Amino acid sequence: MNHPVCRVGDLSLSGLAELLDNGRFALQTGSLVSRIQASLPDVARSIHVLYAYHPYSVEPDFADFHVQVGRPRNLRRWFRRQAEFVVDGEWPFEPLPRDQAPAFLEWGLNWSIAASCHQWLTIHAASLERNGGAVILPAPPGSGKSTLCAALALRGWRLLSDEMSLIDPKATQAYALARPINLKNASIDLIRSFAPESVWGPETYDTAKGRVTHLRPPIDSVERMLEPAQPRWIVFPRYVAEAEPLLAPRGKAMTFIHFAENAFNYSTLGSVGFDVAGRLVSQCDCYDFTYSRLDDALEVFDWLAGGGRVAGDEA
């Protein structure tokens, strides 16, 4: 018998806040379940907005992570407004300023997945799907990776993940989280202008990355978050002001080296990590992509999704 799916947006804000306060709320993102305890009103508001389409459960029998976000329980709470992140009884970070609590939850969940989900090769890269094929977007900070990811997700590409690509070692498929997209500084204003109808979580200022906020994922990405996708392209984006769009073939050996250096658990997986990274690179067309205008970038990626290839791709 199929039971109706309960979604976060079906809850009232006060109902969600009560579940969070009591530690009874469990959020599903992809195949992962995080049981969350939080007594801070802004954390409840952020979850209510950003995860409106995601399934939730109350006091599940199992959760992958047990998370708490709240005020420190030591003397810090008396002389400085701070928030702490706790996962499965561990404190992986120092407390942050209290107004960063909603973002702290997102960053903490990213860390938890990267640190413990070794059923996948976990690569520091965004990933999206179109027409059955997935593109992986690895890039260093400041390259425009998350900006491009947001634009693609808002224009018909299915968001798998913004911060990490999850690759199944057996089938070499990409798995989804469909969690909010993390944007910062000028990228926030660019995407707000690009998609005025988009929905956002709270903005946080004076973080280590400057001004940050999160973009709610499209409903289709969430509803299809249990569908894996076969990677077809690996594209290294780089934003360059006033640049014309340029998609250039990239050597597969250098792409493999990048994955080995930027996979969170490549060393932990050992020979399995080496094997899956090699198969992933072999099955994908690999490119460097320079861009300055989102409309140009969307045109290039839609061309790829339609079967386009650049002459000179390595076999």
Side-chain angles (χ1 to χ4, degrees):
M1 178 176 178
N2 292 326
H3 296 280
V5 174
C6 298
R7 303 196 182 279
V8 174
D10 298 331
L11 286 167
S12 66
L13 178 56
S14 60
L16 172 60
E18 181 179 356
L19 290 176
L20 286 167
D21 190 41
N22 296 327
R24 301 170 62 210
F25 174 81
L27 177 68
Q28 183 177 349
T29 55
S31 61
L32 300 177
V33 175
S34 301
R35 187 162 176 170
I36 303 171
Q37 194 279 326
S39 57
L40 305 176
D42 52 346
V43 173
R45 286 193 295 270
S46 181
I47 292 173
H48 198 249
V49 170
L50 293 175
Y51 291 96
Y53 305 135
H54 283 75
Y56 79 93
S57 55
V58 178
E59 295 185 310
D61 294 332
F62 172 82
D64 296 275
F65 307 110
H66 293 77
V67 169
Q68 295 171 279
V69 180
R71 300 174 181 86
R73 300 179 183 181
N74 54 25
L75 291 177
R76 290 176 184 266
R77 71 185 189 276
W78 298 113
F79 63 86
R80 186 176 300 170
R81 285 172 53 82
Q82 291 185 318
E84 65 178 4
F85 177 88
V86 184
V87 56
D88 297 329
E90 301 290 335
W91 283 258
F93 311 106
E94 290 295 317
L96 290 178
R98 167 68 184 76
D99 61 356
Q100 296 183 23
F104 204 3
L105 172 63
E106 297 299 324
W107 300 333
L109 288 174
N110 287 343
W111 180 90
S112 301
I113 295 167
S116 60
C117 289
H118 303 314
Q119 66 268 40
W120 300 299
L121 175 67
T122 307
I123 303 166
H124 186 202
S127 51
L128 305 101
E129 177 267 338
R130 185 77 174 266
N131 297 339
V135 61
I136 296 174
L137 303 174
S143 63
K145 177 264 295 177
S146 290
T147 309
L148 180 57
C149 175
L152 291 168
L154 292 166
R155 291 294 186 270
W157 286 73
R158 177 167 67 100
L159 174 69
L160 303 179
S161 181
D162 167 44
E163 288 294 335
M164 57 191 74
S165 293
L166 309 176
I167 307 300
D168 172 49
K170 294 182 179 179
T172 327
Q173 292 181 312
Y175 278 69
L177 292 170
R179 288 182 47 224
I181 299 172
N182 182 24
L183 293 165
K184 58 183 181 294
N185 302 318
S187 293
I188 300 171
D189 303 318
L190 180 60
I191 296 298
R192 284 189 191 276
S193 176
F194 176 77
E197 73 285 0
S198 55
V199 179
W200 301 76
E203 288 193 13
T204 303
Y205 300 84
D206 299 324
T207 75
K209 298 180 180 181
R211 177 171 63 113
V212 302
T213 188
H214 289 80
L215 173 69
R216 184 166 76 186
I219 186 170
D220 179 67
S221 296
V222 178
E223 290 181 338
R224 298 175 59 197
M225 66 185 183
L226 295 180
E227 297 179 24
Q230 198 68 44
R232 288 182 55 192
W233 312 277
I234 300 169
V235 181
F236 289 74
R238 186 167 66 99
Y239 173 84
V240 177
E242 306 301 325
E244 294 298 318
L246 177 62
L247 187 69
R250 178 187 177 93
K252 295 200 173 190
M254 291 303 299
T255 301
F256 178 90
I257 291 171
H258 178 92
F259 277 5
E261 293 175 344
N262 289 273
F264 294 106
N265 58 351
Y266 178 84
S267 297
T268 301
L269 292 179
S271 61
V272 172
F274 177 87
D275 176 65
V276 67
R279 285 188 282 119
L280 176 64
V281 172
S282 294
Q283 76 182 36
C284 290
D285 296 335
C286 303
Y287 299 104
D288 287 308
F289 177 56
T290 302
Y291 77 101
S292 62
R293 294 176 294 274
L294 288 177
D295 287 340
D296 291 340
L298 291 171
E299 185 176 348
V300 169
F301 276 77
D302 287 346
W303 174 78
L304 278 178
R309 288 189 88 202
V310 175
D313 289 348
E314 288 191 16

